[in-house]
Amino acid sequence: MRGTPLEPSKSIGAFPDVPDLENSGEEAYVFFHLEPKHTNYINRIIEGYEYLGVMTSVDTSGRCMLRCTPSTKPLAIEILTSLSDYVTIEK
């Protein structure tokens, strides 16, 4: 006996926690600077906050960016601000 294909009970747009994909582009990125020797440390902290964003090194001088969504950007800025001994956020 073959089962019938599963049908989703709700569309993606019905979930309140799913970000608006049309507005989740580069305007939600946070750029910052750090000493390259602290890159792994800061990345591990960011990874500890699941679904916050993805940290990427932009260049070898310590410029980085955190790819986040409009809904996670305020928390990302708050976390990076709390790490001011290591991170300088670009304005």
Side-chain angles (χ1 to χ4, degrees):
M1 175 177 181
R2 287 181 72 175
T4 59
L6 296 176
E7 294 182 29
S9 59
K10 297 180 182 177
S11 67
I12 297 267
F15 294 108
D17 296 335
V18 175
D20 179 5
L21 297 178
E22 292 180 12
N23 296 318
S24 62
E26 193 171 331
E27 71 277 356
Y29 295 178
V30 180
F31 290 86
F32 58 96
H33 296 267
L34 51 72
E35 288 186 47
K37 67 182 181 181
H38 297 301
T39 302
N40 188 48
Y41 174 67
I42 299 301
N43 189 42
R44 297 289 180 160
I45 291 171
I46 291 169
E47 286 177 350
Y49 291 88
E50 292 185 12
Y51 309 109
L52 178 67
V54 177
M55 182 177 144
T56 304
S57 295
V58 176
D59 60 33
T60 57
S61 71
R63 186 170 189 236
C64 299
M65 70 180 199
L66 183 58
R67 293 180 180 154
C68 46
T69 65
S71 63
T72 61
K73 185 175 181 176
L75 178 59
I77 292 172
E78 183 179 341
I79 292 166
L80 291 172
T81 300
S82 74
L83 297 167
S84 63
D85 290 346
Y86 303 97
V87 172
T88 304
I89 299 175
E90 288 183 13
K91 301 291 180 184

XYZ file of all heavy atoms in Angstrom:
713
model
N 0.834 -1.177 0.000
C 0.000 0.000 0.000
C 0.882 1.244 0.000
O 1.719 1.413 0.862
C -0.889 -0.042 1.235
C -1.714 1.150 1.438
S -2.750 0.842 2.893
C -3.622 2.315 2.897
N 0.697 2.078 -0.967
C 1.497 3.298 -1.070
C 0.818 4.423 -0.315
O -0.380 4.586 -0.362
C 1.654 3.712 -2.520
C 2.612 2.807 -3.276
C 2.750 3.257 -4.681
N 3.523 4.501 -4.727
C 3.887 5.082 -5.844
N 3.550 4.554 -6.992
N 4.576 6.180 -5.843
N 1.650 5.194 0.378
C 1.118 6.347 1.093
C 0.929 7.522 0.152
O 1.484 7.569 -0.936
N 0.143 8.451 0.564
C -0.047 9.656 -0.230
C 1.022 10.658 0.153
O 1.533 10.651 1.273
C -1.436 10.268 0.037
O -1.535 10.578 1.416
C -2.527 9.329 -0.378
N 1.399 11.514 -0.769
C 2.423 12.511 -0.442
C 1.940 13.412 0.699
O 0.757 13.712 0.814
C 2.587 13.322 -1.726
C 1.790 12.636 -2.776
C 0.930 11.615 -2.126
N 2.894 13.796 1.514
C 2.563 14.690 2.627
C 2.268 16.084 2.086
O 2.965 16.581 1.212
C 3.716 14.768 3.623
C 4.050 13.474 4.337
C 5.272 13.691 5.214
C 2.884 13.020 5.182
N 1.265 16.694 2.596
C 0.916 18.041 2.197
C 1.166 18.960 3.377
O 0.777 18.651 4.509
C -0.553 18.121 1.788
C -0.856 17.326 0.558
C -2.313 17.458 0.156
O -2.913 18.508 0.445
O -2.833 16.518 -0.439
N 1.840 20.067 3.144
C 2.062 20.986 4.251
C 0.749 21.564 4.740
O -0.151 21.840 3.961
C 2.963 22.072 3.657
C 2.780 21.964 2.182
C 2.373 20.548 1.891
N 0.649 21.734 6.055
C -0.595 22.258 6.617
C -0.656 23.778 6.544
O -1.713 24.363 6.603
C -0.746 21.801 8.068
O 0.341 22.261 8.830
N 0.499 24.405 6.414
C 0.550 25.865 6.337
C 1.564 26.261 5.275
O 2.545 25.578 5.052
C 0.986 26.472 7.668
C 0.041 26.213 8.815
C 0.584 26.851 10.076
C -0.307 26.583 11.255
N 0.233 27.139 12.486
N 1.353 27.396 4.683
C 2.347 27.901 3.750
C 3.443 28.587 4.547
O 3.268 28.958 5.703
C 1.707 28.889 2.775
O 1.308 30.047 3.465
N 4.587 28.769 3.922
C 5.726 29.400 4.598
C 5.341 30.765 5.147
O 5.731 31.137 6.226
C 6.914 29.556 3.620
C 7.393 28.199 3.168
C 8.029 30.360 4.222
C 8.487 27.572 3.927
N 4.574 31.520 4.403
C 4.202 32.853 4.841
C 3.353 32.869 6.097
O 3.198 33.886 6.747
N 2.823 31.723 6.467
C 1.970 31.653 7.657
C 2.781 31.552 8.944
O 2.244 31.705 10.021
C 1.027 30.462 7.546
N 4.075 31.290 8.847
C 4.915 31.181 10.033
C 5.452 32.551 10.425
O 6.121 33.206 9.635
C 6.081 30.218 9.779
C 5.642 28.805 9.567
C 5.714 28.238 8.313
C 5.153 28.056 10.613
C 5.310 26.943 8.096
C 4.750 26.760 10.417
C 4.823 26.193 9.157
N 5.192 33.006 11.647
C 5.613 34.353 12.039
C 7.125 34.498 12.196
O 7.641 35.596 12.089
C 4.913 34.566 13.380
C 4.650 33.194 13.895
C 4.454 32.331 12.694
N 7.867 33.399 12.432
C 9.307 33.503 12.653
C 10.127 33.470 11.374
O 11.326 33.662 11.412
C 9.788 32.367 13.572
C 9.190 32.470 14.958
O 8.824 33.596 15.359
O 9.078 31.441 15.633
N 9.498 33.217 10.242
C 10.215 33.181 8.978
C 10.388 34.616 8.492
O 9.419 35.351 8.368
C 9.448 32.338 7.928
C 10.147 32.399 6.578
C 9.309 30.907 8.408
N 11.647 35.038 8.255
C 11.858 36.425 7.842
C 11.292 36.704 6.458
O 11.112 35.800 5.641
C 13.379 36.564 7.840
C 13.894 35.185 7.695
C 12.878 34.276 8.324
N 10.997 37.946 6.203
C 10.534 38.389 4.899
C 11.718 38.310 3.939
O 12.636 39.121 4.005
C 10.011 39.819 5.010
C 9.520 40.362 3.687
O 9.496 39.626 2.692
O 9.168 41.553 3.655
N 11.718 37.327 3.054
C 12.870 37.080 2.204
C 13.127 38.200 1.206
O 14.243 38.363 0.739
C 12.712 35.742 1.487
C 12.655 34.530 2.412
C 12.441 33.259 1.603
C 13.901 34.415 3.256
N 12.117 38.975 0.872
C 12.320 40.078 -0.056
C 13.118 41.207 0.591
O 13.723 42.016 -0.100
C 10.984 40.617 -0.544
C 10.245 39.643 -1.431
C 8.914 40.208 -1.908
O 8.663 41.404 -1.747
O 8.141 39.418 -2.441
N 13.131 41.284 1.908
C 13.829 42.356 2.603
C 14.988 41.846 3.452
O 15.385 42.490 4.400
C 12.847 43.123 3.500
C 11.780 43.806 2.693
O 12.067 44.378 1.652
N 10.554 43.733 3.148
N 15.540 40.686 3.128
C 16.607 40.134 3.955
C 17.951 40.164 3.241
O 18.769 39.286 3.414
C 16.265 38.707 4.384
O 16.154 37.881 3.245
N 18.169 41.170 2.447
C 19.409 41.290 1.696
C 20.484 42.012 2.468
O 20.547 41.994 3.696
N 21.322 42.674 1.740
C 22.516 43.289 2.299
C 22.215 44.349 3.354
O 23.048 44.624 4.210
C 23.347 43.896 1.169
C 24.732 44.279 1.593
C 25.611 44.669 0.424
O 25.397 44.157 -0.684
O 26.503 45.498 0.639
N 21.028 44.944 3.336
C 20.709 45.957 4.343
C 20.702 45.372 5.750
O 20.762 46.099 6.731
C 19.358 46.630 4.054
C 18.146 45.758 4.276
C 17.801 44.832 3.114
O 18.459 44.895 2.075
O 16.854 44.043 3.274
N 20.658 44.061 5.876
C 20.656 43.423 7.191
C 22.056 42.984 7.620
O 22.216 42.450 8.708
C 19.713 42.223 7.192
N 23.076 43.206 6.798
C 24.429 42.808 7.161
C 25.013 43.796 8.158
O 24.722 44.989 8.121
C 25.344 42.763 5.947
C 24.989 41.714 4.909
C 25.727 41.616 3.752
C 23.932 40.830 5.076
C 25.435 40.663 2.785
C 23.629 39.873 4.120
C 24.384 39.796 2.976
O 24.089 38.858 2.036
N 25.863 43.288 9.046
C 26.568 44.139 10.006
C 28.057 44.001 9.712
O 28.611 42.902 9.748
C 26.279 43.700 11.463
C 27.022 44.591 12.436
C 24.781 43.718 11.742
N 28.705 45.122 9.411
C 30.140 45.128 9.149
C 30.873 45.582 10.400
O 30.430 46.506 11.091
C 30.466 46.055 7.972
C 29.988 45.512 6.646
C 28.701 45.751 6.211
C 30.828 44.739 5.863
C 28.251 45.241 5.004
C 30.391 44.228 4.653
C 29.097 44.477 4.219
N 32.010 44.948 10.677
C 32.785 45.288 11.858
C 34.249 44.946 11.644
O 34.618 44.282 10.673
C 32.227 44.577 13.097
C 32.191 43.070 13.005
C 33.216 42.300 13.538
C 31.130 42.425 12.393
C 33.187 40.918 13.462
C 31.080 41.041 12.318
C 32.120 40.281 12.852
N 35.081 45.429 12.557
C 36.524 45.192 12.500
C 36.967 44.499 13.780
O 36.420 44.745 14.860
C 37.288 46.517 12.363
C 36.996 47.244 11.096
N 37.762 47.090 9.964
C 36.014 48.110 10.765
C 37.268 47.841 9.005
N 36.200 48.469 9.463
N 37.978 43.663 13.643
C 38.606 43.035 14.789
C 40.042 42.697 14.431
O 40.421 42.745 13.259
C 37.838 41.776 15.225
C 37.478 40.705 14.198
C 38.655 39.893 13.724
C 36.432 39.790 14.782
N 40.843 42.402 15.442
C 42.193 41.929 15.164
C 42.060 40.515 14.622
O 41.338 39.695 15.207
C 43.041 41.931 16.427
C 43.425 43.308 16.905
C 44.382 43.230 18.075
O 45.368 42.451 17.998
O 44.139 43.934 19.054
N 42.733 40.211 13.517
C 42.576 38.891 12.916
C 42.812 37.722 13.884
O 42.174 36.678 13.737
C 43.603 38.886 11.784
C 43.678 40.329 11.374
C 43.557 41.084 12.681
N 43.629 37.910 14.898
C 43.879 36.815 15.848
C 42.640 36.476 16.682
O 42.571 35.409 17.275
C 45.056 37.143 16.763
C 44.797 38.290 17.728
C 46.017 38.579 18.569
C 45.759 39.704 19.546
N 46.957 39.995 20.340
N 41.643 37.358 16.714
C 40.415 37.121 17.477
C 39.266 36.590 16.606
O 38.151 36.387 17.105
C 39.949 38.404 18.160
C 40.919 38.930 19.158
N 41.346 38.213 20.244
C 41.565 40.118 19.217
C 42.202 38.927 20.939
N 42.353 40.089 20.329
N 39.529 36.342 15.339
C 38.477 35.919 14.416
C 37.781 34.646 14.883
O 36.546 34.579 14.924
C 39.052 35.722 13.000
O 39.636 36.951 12.565
C 37.968 35.301 12.014
N 38.539 33.626 15.224
C 37.932 32.359 15.636
C 37.120 32.525 16.916
O 36.016 31.979 17.031
C 39.000 31.280 15.820
C 38.404 29.916 16.064
O 37.513 29.489 15.347
N 38.889 29.244 17.083
N 37.634 33.289 17.866
C 36.934 33.508 19.136
C 35.569 34.166 18.902
O 34.546 33.684 19.399
C 37.804 34.372 20.045
C 37.140 34.793 21.325
C 36.813 33.871 22.309
C 36.845 36.139 21.557
C 36.200 34.259 23.489
C 36.242 36.540 22.737
C 35.921 35.594 23.699
O 35.313 35.986 24.858
N 35.545 35.228 18.119
C 34.290 35.941 17.851
C 33.337 35.058 17.045
O 32.136 35.007 17.323
C 34.560 37.278 17.122
C 35.441 38.191 17.991
C 33.263 37.962 16.728
C 34.858 38.531 19.347
N 33.868 34.334 16.078
C 33.024 33.445 15.282
C 32.378 32.371 16.151
O 31.200 32.050 15.971
C 33.830 32.803 14.151
C 32.954 32.056 13.177
O 31.881 32.529 12.795
N 33.394 30.886 12.776
N 33.102 31.838 17.107
C 32.535 30.804 17.998
C 31.400 31.370 18.854
O 30.406 30.693 19.093
C 33.611 30.213 18.906
C 34.706 29.498 18.191
C 34.207 28.212 17.621
N 35.314 27.558 16.932
C 35.345 26.295 16.654
N 34.339 25.519 16.980
N 36.362 25.777 16.025
N 31.558 32.592 19.302
C 30.489 33.230 20.082
C 29.245 33.390 19.209
O 28.129 33.058 19.624
C 30.953 34.583 20.651
C 32.016 34.347 21.728
C 29.768 35.380 21.210
C 32.697 35.591 22.213
N 29.431 33.870 17.994
C 28.299 34.060 17.083
C 27.637 32.722 16.758
O 26.406 32.618 16.723
C 28.749 34.805 15.813
C 29.089 36.253 16.182
C 27.686 34.745 14.722
C 29.786 37.027 15.110
N 28.428 31.687 16.554
C 27.872 30.364 16.266
C 27.063 29.825 17.446
O 26.143 29.028 17.265
C 28.981 29.371 15.921
C 29.563 29.573 14.544
C 30.720 28.627 14.251
O 31.206 27.936 15.180
O 31.133 28.570 13.081
N 27.397 30.260 18.653
C 26.659 29.820 19.831
C 25.226 30.324 19.850
O 24.365 29.736 20.503
N 24.980 31.408 19.153
C 23.618 31.929 19.004
C 23.063 31.368 17.703
O 23.225 31.956 16.637
C 23.618 33.458 18.943
C 23.975 34.123 20.241
C 25.296 34.392 20.573
C 22.975 34.493 21.130
C 25.618 35.013 21.769
C 23.285 35.113 22.325
C 24.610 35.359 22.628
O 24.923 35.970 23.810
N 22.431 30.219 17.779
C 21.945 29.578 16.562
C 21.000 30.494 15.798
O 20.166 31.173 16.384
C 21.242 28.271 16.915
C 22.205 27.232 17.433
C 21.539 25.897 17.660
O 20.397 25.696 17.217
O 22.190 25.051 18.290
N 21.161 30.507 14.515
C 20.319 31.263 13.583
C 20.484 32.773 13.698
O 19.663 33.521 13.182
C 18.830 30.885 13.717
C 18.609 29.402 13.655
C 18.249 28.687 14.778
C 18.794 28.717 12.452
C 18.069 27.308 14.719
C 18.620 27.349 12.387
C 18.245 26.654 13.519
O 18.065 25.293 13.464
N 21.552 33.234 14.346
C 21.801 34.671 14.429
C 22.298 35.194 13.094
O 21.826 36.212 12.602
C 22.829 34.970 15.523
C 23.214 36.434 15.680
C 22.025 37.235 16.201
C 24.389 36.568 16.624
N 23.252 34.515 12.519
C 23.821 34.929 11.249
C 25.096 34.166 10.980
O 25.507 33.308 11.762
N 25.730 34.503 9.864
C 26.960 33.843 9.450
C 28.049 34.890 9.330
O 27.910 35.863 8.597
C 26.768 33.118 8.094
C 28.075 32.497 7.622
C 25.670 32.084 8.193
N 29.141 34.676 10.061
C 30.264 35.608 10.040
C 31.198 35.249 8.894
O 31.493 34.083 8.652
C 31.028 35.542 11.362
C 32.178 36.513 11.434
S 32.937 36.422 13.053
C 34.647 36.682 12.599
N 31.648 36.283 8.182
C 32.572 36.118 7.070
C 33.678 37.149 7.187
O 33.401 38.320 7.445
C 31.841 36.325 5.720
O 30.746 35.420 5.647
C 32.766 36.108 4.551
N 34.918 36.720 7.000
C 36.036 37.664 6.936
C 36.038 38.285 5.553
O 36.001 37.573 4.543
C 37.363 36.952 7.187
O 37.415 36.455 8.496
N 36.085 39.612 5.508
C 36.046 40.315 4.229
C 37.456 40.475 3.669
O 37.674 40.342 2.471
C 35.349 41.688 4.379
C 35.397 42.471 3.088
C 33.913 41.499 4.849
N 38.410 40.764 4.545
C 39.797 40.906 4.104
C 40.745 40.504 5.234
O 40.311 40.201 6.338
C 40.079 42.328 3.608
C 39.850 43.395 4.658
O 40.082 43.137 5.852
O 39.454 44.502 4.284
N 42.035 40.524 4.948
C 43.031 40.072 5.925
C 43.347 41.108 6.992
O 44.021 40.805 7.960
C 44.338 39.671 5.223
O 44.819 40.783 4.467
C 44.122 38.478 4.312
N 42.829 42.321 6.849
C 43.095 43.357 7.848
C 42.169 43.267 9.051
O 42.330 44.004 10.011
C 42.983 44.752 7.216
O 41.631 45.045 6.932
N 41.175 42.367 9.005
C 40.256 42.195 10.124
C 38.866 42.735 9.895
O 38.048 42.759 10.811
N 38.570 43.157 8.683
C 37.203 43.587 8.381
C 36.352 42.340 8.174
O 36.726 41.434 7.428
C 37.153 44.468 7.144
C 35.770 45.035 6.891
C 35.778 46.096 5.806
N 34.472 46.732 5.762
C 33.715 46.788 4.663
N 34.134 46.269 3.536
N 32.541 47.380 4.715
N 35.215 42.302 8.861
C 34.306 41.151 8.794
C 32.891 41.636 8.584
O 32.598 42.823 8.729
C 34.362 40.347 10.097
S 35.974 39.667 10.483
N 32.038 40.698 8.261
C 30.615 41.015 8.176
C 29.837 39.856 8.757
O 30.285 38.713 8.749
C 30.178 41.311 6.758
C 30.155 40.159 5.822
S 29.619 40.780 4.216
C 29.129 39.276 3.450
N 28.687 40.206 9.301
C 27.773 39.215 9.827
C 26.532 39.265 8.961
O 25.829 40.283 8.926
C 27.437 39.503 11.289
C 26.543 38.499 11.986
C 27.154 37.099 11.965
C 26.298 38.920 13.422
N 26.298 38.192 8.226
C 25.116 38.112 7.375
C 23.951 37.660 8.243
O 23.912 36.536 8.709
C 25.330 37.116 6.245
C 26.373 37.560 5.283
C 26.556 36.539 4.188
N 27.586 37.019 3.286
C 28.326 36.240 2.544
N 28.149 34.936 2.568
N 29.232 36.750 1.754
N 23.049 38.577 8.486
C 21.888 38.263 9.309
C 20.636 38.733 8.588
O 20.709 39.243 7.486
C 22.020 38.885 10.697
S 22.549 40.596 10.738
N 19.515 38.543 9.209
C 18.240 38.962 8.627
C 17.767 40.215 9.364
O 18.286 40.543 10.435
C 17.188 37.849 8.779
O 16.921 37.651 10.162
C 17.657 36.560 8.132
N 16.779 40.901 8.812
C 16.258 42.071 9.515
C 15.785 41.745 10.935
O 15.936 42.564 11.837
C 15.100 42.527 8.636
C 15.482 42.093 7.266
C 16.175 40.769 7.470
N 15.274 40.544 11.143
C 14.777 40.197 12.477
C 15.891 39.845 13.464
O 15.696 39.957 14.667
C 13.780 39.039 12.385
O 14.406 37.879 11.901
N 17.061 39.428 12.979
C 18.163 39.091 13.895
C 19.208 40.201 13.997
O 20.075 40.144 14.861
C 18.870 37.783 13.479
O 19.424 37.938 12.172
C 17.914 36.602 13.528
N 19.125 41.212 13.143
C 20.125 42.282 13.146
C 20.216 43.024 14.483
O 21.329 43.251 14.974
C 19.860 43.276 12.010
C 20.942 44.328 11.888
C 20.724 45.218 10.688
C 21.827 46.248 10.584
N 21.687 47.075 9.371
N 19.114 43.398 15.137
C 19.242 44.093 16.428
C 19.991 43.269 17.480
O 20.838 43.800 18.206
C 17.798 44.355 16.854
C 17.025 44.358 15.580
C 17.708 43.342 14.710
N 19.714 41.975 17.563
C 20.423 41.118 18.508
C 21.895 40.996 18.122
O 22.772 41.026 18.982
C 19.774 39.732 18.584
C 20.458 38.731 19.521
C 20.505 39.248 20.953
C 19.754 37.375 19.456
N 22.174 40.889 16.830
C 23.558 40.803 16.361
C 24.343 42.042 16.775
O 25.471 41.936 17.274
C 23.587 40.626 14.848
N 23.751 43.207 16.604
C 24.425 44.452 16.998
C 24.629 44.495 18.505
O 25.685 44.901 18.988
C 23.630 45.678 16.490
C 23.710 45.739 14.958
C 24.138 46.964 17.126
C 22.816 46.769 14.326
N 23.639 44.057 19.253
C 23.756 44.025 20.712
C 24.905 43.108 21.156
O 25.693 43.473 22.027
C 22.438 43.552 21.321
C 22.421 43.542 22.825
C 21.093 43.079 23.399
O 20.076 43.104 22.686
O 21.088 42.674 24.571
N 24.999 41.946 20.549
C 26.063 41.000 20.904
C 27.427 41.560 20.525
O 28.370 41.533 21.323
C 25.814 39.640 20.235
C 24.579 38.987 20.852
C 27.031 38.728 20.361
C 24.040 37.823 20.061
N 27.550 42.083 19.306
C 28.836 42.640 18.876
C 29.227 43.848 19.719
O 30.399 44.041 20.029
C 28.784 42.996 17.390
C 28.700 41.803 16.433
C 28.451 42.283 15.007
C 29.957 40.957 16.512
N 28.264 44.654 20.117
C 28.540 45.805 20.984
C 29.061 45.345 22.339
O 29.961 45.964 22.915
C 27.272 46.663 21.153
O 26.853 47.118 19.866
C 27.522 47.860 22.049
N 28.523 44.236 22.848
C 28.987 43.719 24.134
C 30.409 43.168 24.048
O 31.059 42.965 25.071
C 28.040 42.639 24.659
O 28.194 41.439 23.934
N 30.890 42.941 22.846
C 32.257 42.452 22.635
C 33.185 43.590 22.209
O 34.141 43.382 21.466
C 32.245 41.347 21.564
C 31.465 40.100 21.917
C 31.252 39.230 20.689
C 32.179 39.325 23.018
N 32.927 44.787 22.714
C 33.660 45.979 22.288
C 35.156 45.930 22.600
O 35.920 46.693 22.042
C 33.040 47.234 22.886
O 33.135 47.194 24.299
N 35.583 45.027 23.483
C 37.013 44.862 23.715
C 37.699 44.229 22.492
O 38.925 44.323 22.349
C 37.279 43.977 24.937
C 36.910 44.651 26.241
O 36.695 45.889 26.248
O 36.830 43.944 27.263
N 36.924 43.579 21.655
C 37.466 42.879 20.480
C 36.948 43.410 19.156
O 37.619 43.265 18.127
C 37.100 41.392 20.548
C 37.572 40.710 21.803
C 36.717 40.545 22.877
C 38.872 40.247 21.908
C 37.152 39.914 24.049
C 39.312 39.626 23.059
C 38.450 39.458 24.133
O 38.884 38.852 25.277
N 35.755 44.003 19.149
C 35.043 44.339 17.921
C 34.737 45.823 17.867
O 34.334 46.414 18.863
C 33.724 43.534 17.845
C 32.873 43.988 16.682
C 33.998 42.050 17.766
N 34.898 46.405 16.687
C 34.457 47.768 16.419
C 33.464 47.705 15.274
O 33.815 47.288 14.163
C 35.638 48.687 16.023
O 36.622 48.642 17.044
C 35.173 50.106 15.797
N 32.223 48.088 15.537
C 31.178 48.027 14.513
C 31.290 49.243 13.605
O 31.475 50.366 14.075
C 29.781 47.980 15.172
C 29.662 46.738 16.045
C 28.684 47.999 14.109
C 28.365 46.658 16.825
N 31.159 49.019 12.298
C 31.130 50.126 11.353
C 29.785 50.834 11.453
O 28.753 50.188 11.580
C 31.302 49.618 9.917
C 32.681 49.155 9.594
C 32.815 48.740 8.129
O 31.915 49.040 7.305
O 33.832 48.107 7.817
N 29.797 52.131 11.372
C 28.544 52.916 11.408
C 28.077 53.204 10.028
O 28.717 53.336 9.105
C 28.750 54.219 12.177
C 29.195 54.003 13.606
C 28.111 53.399 14.411
C 28.587 53.201 15.853
N 27.705 52.560 16.700
